[in-house]
């Protein structure tokens, strides 16, 4: 084109999309009717469907599918997808759709079935971002089951991580009772589950069993009864508090609970394997074993070391824990030679955390100590566990994490100038045969 000739490029895509959008479910130029599950009827246009979906294109090819010569195409969809099929087809006309935690999975199913790539990728990304939804809207369990079924490995891993680390949130969601038996069995056997205490987990299991009573014996066997606080166990055994079959099972286990909190571990170990799951702690967030550390004013904080002392009691064992943490790093100055111009001995951004036992009584027990550090992220004004780090703590000396939260990741764990760290203490006994 001659550069001297006047020219102008017109950009009317938005007007074109608006025009096409108006054709959705419109008799104007409609050349096909979609009948879904014999319930939902939609006016459609072969061209629009075929352009966005090679599956529709193949279906509507009269040579490949003789039924397509008819003006009515019958489709069969899952009932959960039926409620969202109309907005799915509307998206094909407009390219616009609003995703939420209720419609995203059905829309992913439909986009997967009809190979609508952009929508499939967008719905998958939405689920990845919104795994950490408040309990009322949380669908991590359903999304995990679906991701496992069709091979969405990243989504599957993120959902499992969230379920394991935020069990207190998940058990309050409507999704909890939808857990498949294989999912629940695997979850109950994990020691890295973050939950308030074993009684809270037991009560959540009772809720699940109300809809799956045939799995009672199998699932109840995975509860770690010695970990139950005796006073809470006493309340659970109040007449009428539990279904008779579950109450009977709990009664059989209650003797060991009371024994574990009254007798010495040497005595208990004569009849029990102390290294087995029933005596292995999960990551309990109750005040018995943990302390939340809200570090406020982070943005204006200097590079200083903070200290926290914890006192815990597990069965007959009393333990004192001393924790030091430098949330922003270290700056150490030497004033020896130049009072007004101190020498910088150390200046770094490493958020070092060190742990030392102050005391452990009785000290002759065959046991080990561990501390779990939960790092919280604030999402939609709610705090969720975003990472868990563990540290073996010796009886003498100190244990250290050189950089608990690297500087490049630190912002994600700060909200309104506050960093929330949760210190969870654990004590586990060794089996005498292994010593």
């Amino acid at each position: 084109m001659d550069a001297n000739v006047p020219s102008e490029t017109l950009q009317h895509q938005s007007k074109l999309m608006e025009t096409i959008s108006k054709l959705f479910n419109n008799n104007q130029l409609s050349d096909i009717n979609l009948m879904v599950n014999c319930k939902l009827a939609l006016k459609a246009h072969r061209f629009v469907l075929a352009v966005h979906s090679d599956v529709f294109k193949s279906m509507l090819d009269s040579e490949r599918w003789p039924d397509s010569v008819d003006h009515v195409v019958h489709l069969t969809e899952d009932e959960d997808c039926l409620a969202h099929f109309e907005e799915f087809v509307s998206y094909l006309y407009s390219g616009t759709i609003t995703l939420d935690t209720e419609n995203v999975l059905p829309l992913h199913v439909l986009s997967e079935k009809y190979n609508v790539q952009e929508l499939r990728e967008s719905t998958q990304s939405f689920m990845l971002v919104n795994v950490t939804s408040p309990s009322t809207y949380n669908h991590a369990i359903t999304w995990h089951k679906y991701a496992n079924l069709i091979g969405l490995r990243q989504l599957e891993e993120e959902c499992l991580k969230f379920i394991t680390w935020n069990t207190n949130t998940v058990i309050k969601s409507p999704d909890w009772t939808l857990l498949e038996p294989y999912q629940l069995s695997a979850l109950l056997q994990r020691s890295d589950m973050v939950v308030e205490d074993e009684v809270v987990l037991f009560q959540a299991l009772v809720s699940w069993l109300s809809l799956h009573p045939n799995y009672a014996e199998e699932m109840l066997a995975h509860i770690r009864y010695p970990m139950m606080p005796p006073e809470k166990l006493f309340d659970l055994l109040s007449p009428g508090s539990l279904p008779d079959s579950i109450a009977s099972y709990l009664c059989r286990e209650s003797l060991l609970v009371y024994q574990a909190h009254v007798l010495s571990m040497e005595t208990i170990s004569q009849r029990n394997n102390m290294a087995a799951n029933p005596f292995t702690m999960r990551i309990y967030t109750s005040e018995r074993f943990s302390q939340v550390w809200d570090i406020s004013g982070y943005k204006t904080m200097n590079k200083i070391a903070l200290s926290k002392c914890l006192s815990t009691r597990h069965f007959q064992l009393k333990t004192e824990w001393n924790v030091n943490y430098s949330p922003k790093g270290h700056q150490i100055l030497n004033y020896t030679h130049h009072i007004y111009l101190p020498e910088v001995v150390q200046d770094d951004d490493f958020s070092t955390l060190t742990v030392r036992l102050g005391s452990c009584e009785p000290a002759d027990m065959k046991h080990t100590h561990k501390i779990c550090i939960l790092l919280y992220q604030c999402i939609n004004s709610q705090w969720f566990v975003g990472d868990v780090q563990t540290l073996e703590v010796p009886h003498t000396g100190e244990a250290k994490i050189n950089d608990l939260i690297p500087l490049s990741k630190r912002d994600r764990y700060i909200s309104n100038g506050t960093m929330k760290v949760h210190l969870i203490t654990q004590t586990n006994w060794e089996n005498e045969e292994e010593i």
Side-chain angles (χ1 to χ4, degrees), residues 95-224:
T96 301
I97 197 166
T98 299
L99 301 178
D100 58 43
T101 55
E102 298 301 320
N103 70 5
V104 65
L105 183 56
L107 289 173
H108 189 281
V109 172
L110 291 170
S111 62
E112 180 79 15
K113 177 178 179 179
Y114 293 101
N115 195 27
V116 182
Q117 183 176 349
E118 292 81 3
L119 183 59
R120 180 173 63 239
E121 293 175 353
S122 295
T123 50
Q124 183 176 341
S125 296
F126 181 91
M127 286 188 283
L128 279 169
V129 171
N130 289 280
V131 168
T132 53
S133 297
S135 59
T136 305
Y137 308 102
N138 193 275
H139 293 279
I141 289 172
T142 299
W143 294 354
H144 174 263
K145 181 166 55 177
Y146 175 71
N148 174 266
L149 180 65
I150 70 169
L152 298 178
R153 296 304 171 218
Q154 185 181 2
L155 179 61
E156 180 184 5
E157 291 173 6
E158 289 300 314
C159 288
L160 181 57
K161 185 191 300 182
F162 181 83
I163 293 168
T164 305
W165 289 351
N166 294 275
T167 306
N168 291 324
T169 295
V170 173
I171 60 179
K172 298 173 185 176
S173 74
D175 250 18
W176 173 252
T177 54
L178 300 180
L179 265 172
E180 294 290 343
Y182 79 89
Q183 286 179 296
L184 181 57
S185 178
L187 184 64
L188 291 176
Q189 295 179 65
R190 297 181 71 112
S191 294
D192 60 346
M193 183 195 300
V194 179
V195 66
E196 181 180 344
D197 60 28
E198 202 69 19
V199 169
V200 169
L201 185 59
F202 174 81
Q203 291 171 321
L205 174 58
V206 171
S207 175
W208 186 88
L209 288 174
S210 66
L211 299 178
H212 309 84
N214 293 337
Y215 292 91
E217 288 286 331
E218 175 187 348
M219 299 303 174
L220 288 169
H222 296 315
I223 293 295
R224 303 181 181 184

Side-chain angles (χ1 to χ4, degrees), residues 419-434:
M419 176 186 291
K420 187 183 289 290
V421 177
H422 202 159
L423 306 173
I424 314 287
T425 65
Q426 290 186 322
T427 299
N428 291 310
W429 275 263
E430 299 172 351
N431 187 14
E432 291 292 337
E433 297 177 358
E434 299 174 356

Side-chain angles (χ1 to χ4, degrees), residues 202 236-237 242-252:
F202 174 81
L236 282 176
L237 291 172
L242 297 169
D244 291 342
S245 59
I246 296 177
S248 297
Y249 192 104
L250 185 58
C251 280
R252 296 198 299 270

